[in-house]
Amino acid sequence: MSHNTFGHLFRVTTWGESHGPALGAVVDGCPPGIRLTPEDIQADLDRRKPGQNRFVTQRREDDLVEILSGVFEDERTDGPRTTGTPISLMIRNTDQRSKDYGDIRDKYRPGHADFTYDAKYGLRDYRGGGRSSARETAARVAAGAVAKKVLDHLTGGAVKIRAALVQIGTEAIDRANWDWATVDANPFFSPDPDSVARFEDHLDGIRKAGSSIGAIVEVHAEGVPAGWGAPLYGKLDQDVASALMSINAVKGVEIGDGFETAELTGEANADEIYAGPNGPEFRSNHAGGILGGISSGQTIVARMAVKPTSSILTPRHTVDRAGHDVELITKGRHDPCVGIRAVPVAEAMMAIVLADHALRHRGQCGR
């Protein structure tokens, strides 16, 4: 399989399968001299890992990261430092239950990549979906933690990336209650504390019915300086959209007001500019912090729509490899709302894009 690498100067290649011995990432293009320890990465992995509450899959994985290359420590360094060479990260799989997938060996799960993988490659890893499994995103989160360290190094800690879950099914947060401090204080990564009880009731009903539901995740990048990106084939919003769209189960991406801009007039949509004490400032941010493919200095805002988990207990009609009509119930351990654990994944992909563009901007413009 080709196309396992993302990025230009800061490049991330992920490897491994859901039910293989391990998965991981190789991060290339990281500048030398950045302090990097497994603990720097583990904090983000702990936010994504499964089995932490009843609203996510009960697969039990510690998701402990190992740094295999690309760092060095001796008496001259203050802890492990990046060397500028490829950083190899590995996360071992320890709680596979491949027997759960024996019944679907020759059947195509509706909504999954089973049929399309078979159509392309002539074979597929039916144990959890192989590379198509959301388990792959653990490697992205590990690589994203490295990207955040690069951004801190290049911007002096000015860039802050945070994501939140803003909608589950038809239940949405009240944006008037938005408080970033609450995001990591509830199992939904919700920025609205009043939404938690509603999300619990809604998802408990979905979960007990053996079904699943979709969600919307919103990611913000604050402190990005004006000037990152390019006007045509290296647009910053283009790469953000590509990164978020590459996440498993994502079916739609918006930048700024996104599709709502189709309902706005030119007067309502244009973010007016005025002279501030430190340069141009904006009265609104309909554009989501990116104009003409280049960052404006405002907060970059993107949203992604995550589809319902396709593995459900409700019988669904499908076919097997021989072309016979069959009914299928997907057993095993699955997220009733995969959008919850997609929150740290969205942060990671935003960080990877911004680290890449920061290096590309420095390479072209020297700053």
Side-chain angles (χ1 to χ4, degrees), residues 118-341:
D118 231 355
K120 182 173 181 65
Y121 300 109
L123 73 164
R124 66 183 175 91
D125 185 347
Y126 59 86
R127 306 164 305 163
R131 287 288 284 168
S132 68
S133 169
R135 179 90 185 117
E136 182 267 349
T137 61
R140 300 179 186 226
V141 171
V146 178
K148 291 176 182 178
K149 296 287 288 187
V150 171
L151 288 168
D152 285 345
H153 175 73
L154 295 176
T155 70
V159 174
K160 302 295 183 185
I161 300 169
R162 297 178 291 188
L165 187 142
V166 298
Q167 187 170 330
I168 295 179
T170 57
E171 294 289 338
I173 66 165
D174 182 349
R175 289 182 174 269
N177 294 334
W178 192 296
D179 182 1
W180 282 113
T182 72
V183 168
D184 284 324
N186 66 80
F188 302 103
F189 297 111
S190 172
D192 171 16
D194 292 345
S195 70
V196 175
R198 289 188 289 110
F199 285 170
E200 286 181 345
D201 290 344
H202 188 48
L203 197 51
D204 270 337
I206 295 289
R207 181 177 58 86
K208 291 174 182 177
S211 189
S212 62
I213 197 70
I216 295 177
V217 174
E218 185 165 312
V219 56
H220 292 197
E222 301 173 356
V224 177
W228 291 4
L232 289 177
Y233 304 116
K235 293 178 184 288
L236 182 55
D237 45 356
Q238 163 195 329
D239 286 348
V240 168
S242 175
L244 297 181
M245 197 71 188
S246 74
I247 298 171
N248 312 63
V250 170
K251 300 301 290 184
V253 175
E254 294 183 319
I255 308 294
D257 283 0
F259 282 94
E260 288 186 8
T261 59
E263 302 175 4
L264 300 178
T265 64
E267 294 85 355
N269 181 65
D271 298 313
E272 291 189 297
I273 308 171
Y274 64 97
N278 300 309
E281 296 186 6
F282 296 81
R283 298 191 187 278
S284 56
N285 191 17
H286 299 294
I290 303 172
L291 294 167
I294 301 172
S295 59
S296 66
Q298 293 181 276
T299 298
I300 295 174
V301 180
R303 278 174 300 280
M304 63 186 199
V306 184
K307 71 173 185 173
T309 312
S310 297
S311 297
I312 55 177
L313 295 177
T314 306
R316 308 303 296 160
H317 185 83
T318 187
V319 298
D320 60 20
R321 293 194 73 186
H324 301 132
D325 289 318
V326 294
E327 269 198 346
L328 178 67
I329 295 175
T330 306
K331 301 176 183 178
R333 301 161 295 176
H334 309 288
D335 292 85
C337 178
V338 74
I340 297 172
R341 292 197 299 130

Side-chain angles (χ1 to χ4, degrees), residues 7-174:
H8 294 266
L9 295 186
F10 186 86
R11 293 171 61 82
V12 174
T13 302
T14 67
W15 55 268
E17 293 81 34
S18 173
H19 284 237
L23 49 82
V26 176
V27 179
D28 200 4
C30 179
I34 299 175
R35 182 180 172 86
L36 181 66
T37 67
E39 291 73 25
D40 294 324
I41 300 170
Q42 195 62 51
D44 281 352
L45 282 171
D46 287 346
R47 297 172 70 224
R48 193 219 71 97
K49 72 180 181 181
Q52 299 191 76
N53 57 69
R54 70 181 187 274
F55 302 112
V56 300
T57 175
Q58 294 306 295
R59 178 172 176 170
R60 299 286 179 177
E61 296 283 359
D62 290 330
D63 281 355
L64 298 177
V65 66
E66 301 173 47
I67 302 177
L68 304 182
S69 67
V71 298
F72 180 73
E73 179 180 11
D74 68 7
E75 66 277 1
R76 297 168 298 174
T77 62
D78 177 21
R81 299 275 175 171
T82 58
T83 62
T85 57
I87 300 169
S88 185
L89 307 170
M90 182 171 69
I91 303 163
R92 299 183 188 274
N93 291 323
T94 60
D95 189 27
Q96 310 98 312
R97 284 197 342 210
S98 301
K99 60 182 176 57
D100 287 347
Y101 297 90
D103 290 344
I104 66 163
R105 177 174 182 157
D106 296 313
K107 300 173 184 177
Y108 300 131
R109 292 169 296 174
H112 274 283
D114 297 348
F115 168 69
T116 51
Y117 263 55
D118 231 355
K120 182 173 181 65
Y121 300 109
L123 73 164
R124 66 183 175 91
D125 185 347
Y126 59 86
R127 306 164 305 163
R131 287 288 284 168
S132 68
S133 169
R135 179 90 185 117
E136 182 267 349
T137 61
R140 300 179 186 226
V141 171
V146 178
K148 291 176 182 178
K149 296 287 288 187
V150 171
L151 288 168
D152 285 345
H153 175 73
L154 295 176
T155 70
V159 174
K160 302 295 183 185
I161 300 169
R162 297 178 291 188
L165 187 142
V166 298
Q167 187 170 330
I168 295 179
T170 57
E171 294 289 338
I173 66 165
D174 182 349

